[in-house]
Amino acid sequence: MTEPKRTALVTGASAGLGAEFARQLAAGGHDIVGVARRRDRLEQLAEELRDGHDARVEVLTADLADVHAPRTIAGKVAELGLDVDYLVNNAGSAGRELIEDRDWGAHASFLQLMMTSMAHLCHLFAPGMADRGYGRIINVSSVAGRIARARDTNYGPTKAYVVALSEALHLTLKDQGVHVCALCPGFTHTEFHDVADMLDMKAASPGFMWYDADVVVREGLAAVEKGKCVYVSGRIYRCIDPMLQSVFLRRLIRRFTAR
């Protein structure tokens, strides 16, 4: 019996990890719904995927910092006659400094993008997956969400929420055929650090700490298939992570970064 063609919705699909998720999922036989703010970049990706794979590719422009965006996306997907079997919540950006930056509107938009929109998309699409008895959800978190650090008062905490949300969804949905995984990459070669004005930090970091996007995505796809609810990508980071979670080391890091 032939497996049904499944549809993957990928947010932040115009570049970086999102574009790589779309490529690897299309190569694996999925139809793709790519969501991002930049339609020109989405169209370029769609053309690439249609030429290289036997995939239906739809593009939706949306800004997930807008509170109405998730429901608009769900409505457009329904209009296309598609069921989302695979959800990759990847859209995100670097955070402003919560205390020093006094523009609360900017902070609220950031929190909407990084946490609320992700929860909303899970709220909209996970029930259908459970009803059909199959689903995969990858919520892109970060190693930054695994340890608190001084002056990281927005980005890391939002990523910690993504881990907690994914763990709870995993426990809730696993018996209904839906796998949920928080993917926690470390430093990854994408446009993220260019956009976030982090090129100096990238140049000063050891090369062995950086992984290519295709490695992170490949590991994330394998992890969610295996039913792992939290997966730290990159061998270096998987070695470091257990130490970061130890109570003793967390206390040392808090003392050190506070200085």
Side-chain angles (χ1 to χ4, degrees):
M1 185 174 177
T2 305
E3 283 287 323
K5 194 81 179 277
R6 302 197 187 277
T7 298
L9 188 150
V10 182
T11 69
S14 61
L17 289 177
E20 187 59 31
F21 269 114
R23 292 186 184 102
Q24 292 195 26
L25 285 165
H30 292 77
D31 290 332
I32 303 296
V33 178
V35 179
R37 292 178 301 167
R38 297 178 289 183
R39 188 171 189 89
D40 58 335
R41 296 288 294 270
L42 284 174
E43 293 287 4
Q44 290 173 15
L45 177 66
E47 184 176 350
E48 172 194 333
L49 298 182
R50 292 179 188 127
D51 289 345
H53 308 286
D54 181 22
R56 175 181 176 181
V57 184
E58 302 287 348
V59 299
L60 302 178
T61 53
D63 183 355
L64 284 161
D66 177 355
V67 68
H68 303 293
R71 190 160 294 281
T72 299
I73 291 166
K76 290 180 178 178
V77 168
E79 289 174 7
L80 292 168
L82 297 171
D83 291 321
V84 171
D85 308 293
Y86 213 117
L87 173 62
V88 180
N89 280 312
N90 166 74
S93 69
R96 298 166 182 250
E97 212 292 320
L98 184 67
I99 303 304
E100 293 179 3
D101 192 319
R102 305 311 298 164
D103 181 358
W104 177 250
H107 290 304
S109 294
F110 177 75
L111 297 175
Q112 168 66 32
L113 169 65
M114 301 294 282
M115 296 191 298
T116 308
S117 69
M118 189 175 294
H120 197 173
L121 288 170
C122 289
H123 168 77
L124 291 166
F125 291 114
M129 296 178 184
D131 289 344
R132 294 188 295 274
Y134 177 90
R136 302 290 184 264
I137 299 174
I138 295 179
N139 295 324
V140 178
S141 180
S142 171
V143 169
R146 305 288 285 164
I147 186 70
R149 295 170 295 129
R151 290 169 294 281
D152 178 17
T153 52
N154 250 346
Y155 184 80
T158 64
K159 293 302 189 180
Y161 169 79
V162 171
V163 172
L165 173 68
S166 301
E167 288 179 306
L169 286 172
H170 167 77
L171 293 171
T172 302
L173 298 169
K174 64 178 183 176
D175 293 334
Q176 299 173 71
V178 181
H179 297 183
V180 183
C181 178
L183 175 62
C184 300
F187 292 142
T188 307
H189 292 297
T190 68
E191 294 178 9
F192 177 86
H193 296 91
D194 299 350
V195 173
D197 292 327
M198 294 182 180
L199 289 174
D200 290 342
M201 180 274 291
K202 184 174 182 178
S205 303
F208 66 83
M209 299 294 292
W210 291 81
Y211 286 83
D212 290 332
D214 66 312
V215 174
V216 173
V217 169
R218 186 168 61 250
E219 290 187 351
L221 295 176
V224 75
E225 285 302 320
K226 293 176 182 176
K228 296 182 181 294
C229 62
V230 179
Y231 187 79
V232 178
S233 178
R235 186 175 299 173
I236 292 291
Y237 296 103
R238 284 195 295 278
C239 291
I240 294 172
D241 186 68
M243 294 184 288
L244 293 179
Q245 303 315 307
S246 74
V247 173
F248 175 72
L249 190 59
R250 290 173 79 90
R251 286 175 180 167
L252 285 179
I253 292 172
R254 282 198 294 267
R255 290 177 184 174
F256 178 77
T257 60
R259 294 173 184 171

